[in-house]
Amino acid sequence: MRVLVVEDSPDLGPYLKQGLQEQGFAVDLVGDATRGFEYASSAPYDLLILDRMLPGGDGLELLKRLRTKGSLAPAIFLTAKSAVNDRVEGLDAGADDYLVKPFSFAELLARIRVVLRRGSEPLPPVLRVADLSLDPAGRTVERAGERIELSSKQFALLHYLMRHAGQVVSRTMIQEHVWDYEFDGLTNVVDVHINRLRNRVDKGFDRPLIHTLRGVGYVLREE
């Protein structure tokens, strides 16, 4: 999943980016409202994490502009403001949750899981395709009862494929949701990661689940 963090703190911003990347998220980090609007308007983010007090504008106004523009991405506000009316303003602006600083990273992850489960297309706690299962909360993958160890990027890639099981996804779609803006779209990184994932998920099993449609993309399904 791809996340946009709009946070101007030179300590908190990079900390959040690193922590979320370690959890398998593709993360873009910007430090002001103007760039936040530009990024959120140009890419399909699965989640927005916004500071309330930002250079170039208030996070509240940023979210209002994005909602007016049609963005439906879930949003969590991070703020030092703890008054009830401040939280109400944030929720009324279209936020899905409100986290008061200081907070623990574990709490943020828990809030993220709750917010993502509230999406317009709720997903089951554990994703299953044939004998393959993926638990997003526990970050575990099993096939035929056998545990499969994946890197953070491999887990994010498989999670995306399983969320769209039976649907053909192009390389561009994968890039937009699994990698951030630093990704070089001209490389064959997607193909390399797909091949590595195949070696983990399909190797040694009679029925392959990850299939290539030449010139189109990939699909995860049981034939």
Side-chain angles (χ1 to χ4, degrees):
M1 288 189 175
R2 190 169 180 179
V3 180
L4 175 64
V5 177
V6 187
E7 168 61 63
D8 65 319
S9 167
D11 296 320
L12 181 58
Y15 170 75
L16 292 176
K17 180 173 182 176
Q18 179 179 341
L20 291 171
Q21 285 177 330
E22 290 173 352
Q23 294 296 314
F25 293 96
V27 185
D28 291 313
L29 171 65
V30 296
D32 61 81
T34 300
R35 293 181 68 212
F37 183 77
E38 291 173 352
Y39 271 57
S41 300
S42 61
Y45 288 98
D46 298 293
L47 177 67
L48 308 174
I49 298 178
L50 311 173
D51 190 13
R52 269 294 303 265
M53 308 297 290
L54 291 166
D58 189 299
L60 194 70
E61 295 304 318
L62 169 59
L63 184 57
K64 285 181 179 178
R65 289 179 65 197
L66 291 173
R67 292 293 187 243
T68 300
K69 189 178 175 64
S71 172
L72 298 176
I76 298 176
F77 269 129
L78 307 179
T79 181
K81 295 183 175 183
S82 59
V84 172
N85 64 320
D86 290 320
R87 295 198 296 272
V88 170
E89 283 183 352
L91 296 172
D92 284 344
D96 295 85
D97 207 343
Y98 206 99
L99 198 54
V100 178
K101 301 174 183 178
F103 56 85
S104 72
F105 188 72
E107 182 181 6
L108 174 61
L109 287 178
R111 300 289 187 98
I112 288 174
R113 288 193 292 269
V114 170
V115 164
L116 293 178
R117 282 201 297 267
R118 292 179 195 155
S120 57
E121 298 180 7
L123 294 171
V126 178
L127 304 178
R128 301 183 190 279
V129 176
D131 56 356
L132 176 67
S133 65
L134 180 147
D135 180 356
R139 297 190 61 76
T140 58
V141 175
E142 291 185 357
R143 182 156 188 196
E146 180 181 337
R147 183 77 169 264
I148 298 174
E149 298 296 333
L150 299 177
S151 68
S152 293
K153 190 59 69 178
Q154 289 167 351
F155 185 90
L157 179 54
L158 181 61
H159 189 195
Y160 181 73
L161 291 174
M162 293 190 73
R163 285 172 60 208
H164 298 84
Q167 303 174 26
V168 179
V169 292
S170 67
R171 289 173 178 80
T172 299
M173 292 168 66
I174 293 173
Q175 292 168 17
E176 288 180 340
H177 287 275
V178 181
W179 274 269
D180 55 33
Y181 265 113
E182 297 176 3
F183 175 74
D184 182 359
L186 299 178
T187 69
N188 65 340
V189 169
V190 172
D191 302 304
V192 170
H193 276 77
I194 287 285
N195 287 333
R196 289 175 179 171
L197 185 60
R198 272 202 181 102
N199 286 333
R200 295 284 189 175
V201 171
D202 283 340
K203 190 174 183 179
F205 293 92
D206 294 333
R207 295 174 298 165
L209 296 177
I210 301 174
H211 306 275
T212 301
L213 278 72
R214 293 193 178 278
V216 181
Y218 302 96
V219 59
L220 189 147
R221 67 186 177 205
E222 182 179 14
E223 291 293 331

